[in-house]
Amino acid sequence: MSLFLIAALPFLGAVFPALLIRAGRNAAASAAGLTTFLALMGLLIHIPSVMRGEVITARFDWIPILGLNANFMLDGLGFLFALLILGIGLLIILYARFYLSREDPMGQFYTYLLLFQGAMVGIVLSDNILLLLIFWELTSLSSFLLIGYWKHLPEGRQGARMALAVTGSGGLAMIAGMLILGNIVGSYDLSVILQNKELIQASPYYLPALILILLGCFTKSAQFPFHFWLPHAMAAPTPVSAYLHSATMVKAGLFLMARMWPVLAGTDAWFYIVATTGLITMLIGAVIALFKDDLKALLAFSTVSHLGLITMLLGFGTKFAAVAAVFHIINHATFKAALFMTAGIVDHETGTRDIKKLGGLRHLMPITFTIGTIAALSMAGLPPLNGFLSKEMMLEETVHTTWLNSHYLVPVLAVVAALFSAAYSFRFVSHVFLGPQRDSYPSKPHDPPVGLWIAPSLLVVLVVLIGLYSAAIVGPLVAVVSSAVIGGEKLPYYSLKLWHGFTPALYMSVIATLGGLFLLSLHSHAERLWNALPRPEAKVIFEAIINALTRLSHWITDELHNGVISRYAIILIAFTVALGYYAFSTGGMGLPTRVPLPAQIIPIIGWICLVGATLAIMWFHRNRLLSLVLIGVVGLIVSMAFNYLSAPDLALTQISVEVVTMILLLLSLNFLPTDTPWDSTAGRRWRDAAISVVAGIGSGALIYAIMLRDFAFPTISDFHLANSYKGGGGTNVVNVILVDFRGFDTFGEIIVLGIAALIIFALTEAVLGSNVRAYLLNRKPHWPQSGDSHPLMMVVATRVMMPIALMVGAYIFFRGHNQPGGGFIAGLIVAIAFLMQYMASGYTWAIERQRFYYHGTIGWGVLIAAATGIGAWFNERPFLTSDFGYINWPPLEEFEWATAILFDTGVFLAVLGAVMLALDSLSRFAWQPGMAQEFPMDINPLRDSPPEDDKEKEQG
Amino acid sequence: MEALVASAVGVMTAAGIFLILRRRTFPVILGLSLITYAVNVFLFATGRLALNAPAVLNKYEDVAYTDPLPQALVLTAIVISFGMTAVIVMIALSAYLSSKDDHIDMKPDDSVDAPGEDA
């Protein structure tokens, strides 16, 4: 099966449980199980080639220029992890089906679980580190959902947030580290990076990259001092803990360290950072685990300890240690998942996870007792179970390790950790299952149904078999994985067997086991001592840090973002002006190379109108109606200027936009105060005026300088002029650019326009749904209203003009490709034709005749444009490639037909819909009860006299 | 001609900025409209000015064309700026109708998100 499919299957399958839960919980669970099973089978097909040591790859170059490729590879290491993820995933799905209660939303659970599974499989199969990072963050997100699955529990929510904060921020650090690494090598492909050990280790950026990547690994794998999130994540349902926190997610950090081992390991920095962290974590985790009364907390800290063990082995940087690490990853996954499931069963059947309330369960739950004991003894490192084998290898390796010239430090601490590890494992067995039977269990314990114990018992069978026949069962796998970890070099000598003779490791093991038993017998004394010791509570520290950060960001936000918008504006403008001045004073400028065009009399008149109107707006801006009239003058002159300066398309667009903008502003002025009072002090006005004048001079001088000089670089416009007809089939280059060359831009723009119109609609709905509606209904207009609000002449004229206006719209639309015009302008013209009906005949009259919703118009516009673009795919061209041809229908002249016109239709509809929706929404504010009876050409005698308050004003 | 265009851009920019520094919504909207004109003309003028040379190909004779690219960009900018103006007008209007106040600045006690709120 293709690697793409293996990685994609869980994601595809994630849809089904959420849907199938309506068909029952078995259907949801089967769908999840089947997906996982398929992916697992797809993986297993590759066994022969993986075992031969081949690397299977699947490449898809997505954005090669950024080095972002969807490349997957499957080697021994990836295979092992994928096997763990999918294999244990399958068991977990089975277990969860029986574990979750009727009240839990099971469809959601399996969907989250599959999302997580897909992300994990993605991590271990990625051949591109950018892709890997994406999957890495996906695991943080999906595990957040899983840990917080029981939303009603505050511990669940807090634990989920903590896990996300810690692993997410580690992930951010890792992104930086990976980018540095990719930069050193010049490629983001893992297979390339792994070939460049010397280059990477010689780089001055090796250490920063190493530290950043390790931050990601350590947070994910709960290494000291980031270990605290893992126990809090235990608030999750047990299947989640068993899956995420034993077999998969916490191993992602280990996976990455193993993956990067060939290029990052072997330096002093690596040894001291990784091995030391691992050693400390192993020790601390083991000690804390012994004193935890919550079964899952005990297992959580033991997981922390074992992860530390593997980290330490990877940190040693020797090949033998790498082999031991690989072997322990396999072993830990098997016994720890089984232990978590056992803890879940105990919790499920007795109603408590508190060790102090348990004990004597061996006769009540014999099956669970057997499973739990074997797994726990493996964790303690007793022969002939698999935990013993890898622990022996670990102890063996510590004997050969010197830490800052000390030969004893590492072995002694490792034995201490192993001793505590044995002690808590024995405690798990003796304080839960052994001892006298009690009558005080919260519910009557008995063995669970087969569905719950089958999954852990399968794992326990593995634990025993791997212990007894390790070389036969996992020997080849360990060999192929280890050789992948150490970068394909020759494997060191090792043997996976129970009896190595009387080696130092054996003595150390014996000391640890006997010491563990002894420690457990003193447990009650040790516990008193432990409780008397002061020790930092990680959760309190974490929350203090988070609260301090929250306060800091609140403070910064409140200081910067205090709601005084005019302050933001002045800061922005002053800064921009200063930046412009800086650029001007430090940059150079050549001499003018273009001859200025002569100014004729008509442009000078236009200029006088424009400047006069602009200055008048500043002067009279307190009179809002007058300033609207003046801004209309500015708009008209601008559109005439476009026309004069060889831009007919712009002139047409500007003048039609001008009309709709004016209508919009007039409508809004209906509801706003009619004039602006004096607010600012004179000093403030002078300051604002000074800034404005400087900014105005700056922008004017800049454009003046640009216009008098030729292009500094060859312009791409010549390409458009040369290819417009040949490639786009149109002679109006501006339109061909819009619908063809830069069609993607236009596509985005019509979407933006549609969104803007929808925002306006939504705002209107919100405002009209609030108590503002009552105010609007009883509102008295500012100005006296005409009794003849829909005059005869205007009604008749607009209705006669309607077909003509539509005809003009169609004409402008169809000529667009070759002459000035096109979808944008036609949309505006047709919108104006409709608006005229609204104005002349009234809103009520107009919407009664409206046969389609403007939302739909926008939607169809965007869809048509998109469909046209997608059509290009069927001809194996990129999105939005247009095609054209010539059609000859006698007796018509030969005419041209381009797919661009379909795209332009989309533009037309989107523009029309957006303009109409915006103005229609605004008009709804004006609706008042009396209007329902209002018809075109009616005369309302009540409106002949101006409103009361105006009369008073006139008199007063 | 260039001097006329440049000075017009300058005057419109200055007036627009002065107006967006006012403290009521309506002058700010007017100011944004003026700045929109100024920016559109500015962008258009980066294609350099030309008279009687539209960007429509002429197959009968060799003529000079104007620069089509800034025109295409400005054309969409004009339409988008309508959308932007409409949204701002609607926000200003909704704010005024809801609070009967058309100041653009929030007063300190208007703060919606009080600090110290934790989920």
Side-chain angles (χ1 to χ4, degrees), chain A residues 161 554 558 563-566 570 573 594 596-597 599 603-604 607 610 614 617-618 621 624 627-628 631 634-635 642 644-647 649-650 653-654 657-658 660-661 664-665 668-669 671-673 676-677 679-680 684-685 688-689 692 695-696 699-700 702-704 706-707 709-711 716-717 720-721 725 731-734 737-738 749 753 756 760 763-764 767 772 775 818 824 915 922 925, chain B residues 1-15 17-27 29-30 33-34 37 40-42 44-57 59 65-80 82-87 89-94 96-98 100 102-106 113-119:
Chain A
R161 273 211 302 270
H554 266 302
D558 289 345
V564 183
I565 298 174
S566 52
I570 196 140
I573 292 162
R594 291 172 72 98
L597 297 173
I604 291 176
W607 183 86
L610 185 137
T614 311
I617 293 172
M618 274 173 78
H621 77 88
R624 292 181 170 182
S627 51
L628 263 191
I631 210 162
V634 176
F642 282 141
Y644 183 76
L645 294 168
S646 317
D649 285 283
L650 290 190
T653 316
Q654 180 75 62
V657 163
E658 209 48 49
V660 286
T661 311
L664 177 93
L665 288 174
S668 75
L669 198 54
F671 307 98
L672 291 169
T676 309
D679 287 317
S680 344
R684 197 186 149 108
R685 282 199 300 279
D688 293 349
S692 329
S699 63
L702 178 62
I703 192 62
Y704 187 66
I706 291 175
M707 282 189 290
R709 283 161 184 81
D710 280 309
F711 292 103
I716 54 171
S717 301
H720 294 117
L721 284 167
Y725 189 68
T731 52
N732 179 7
V733 188
V734 175
I737 291 175
L738 284 176
E749 269 147 354
L753 200 62
I760 292 169
L763 269 174
T764 311
V767 170
V772 173
Y775 163 79
N818 292 316
F824 274 110
V915 171
L922 196 49
F925 282 100
Chain B
M1 196 66 218
E2 274 81 358
L4 292 183
V5 173
S7 56
V9 168
V11 170
M12 288 192 289
T13 311
I17 288 178
F18 181 78
L19 287 177
I20 63 170
L21 292 175
R22 299 305 90 211
R23 303 171 80 176
R24 303 275 178 157
T25 50
F26 200 76
I29 294 169
L30 290 180
S33 300
L34 276 178
Y37 292 133
N40 286 344
V41 174
F42 187 105
F44 166 72
T46 55
R48 316 303 190 259
L49 303 186
L51 296 182
N52 299 320
V56 178
L57 301 180
K59 57 180 164 182
Y65 297 115
T66 183
D67 192 340
L69 203 56
Q71 292 197 16
L73 299 182
V74 170
L75 197 153
T76 51
I78 294 172
V79 180
I80 291 284
F82 164 74
M84 182 199 71
T85 310
V87 170
V89 165
M90 189 55 79
I91 291 172
L93 192 56
S94 310
Y96 174 71
L97 290 175
S98 308
K100 305 290 175 298
D102 65 343
H103 279 97
I104 60 166
D105 296 341
M106 265 176 16
D113 47 352
E117 259 181 298
D118 211 283

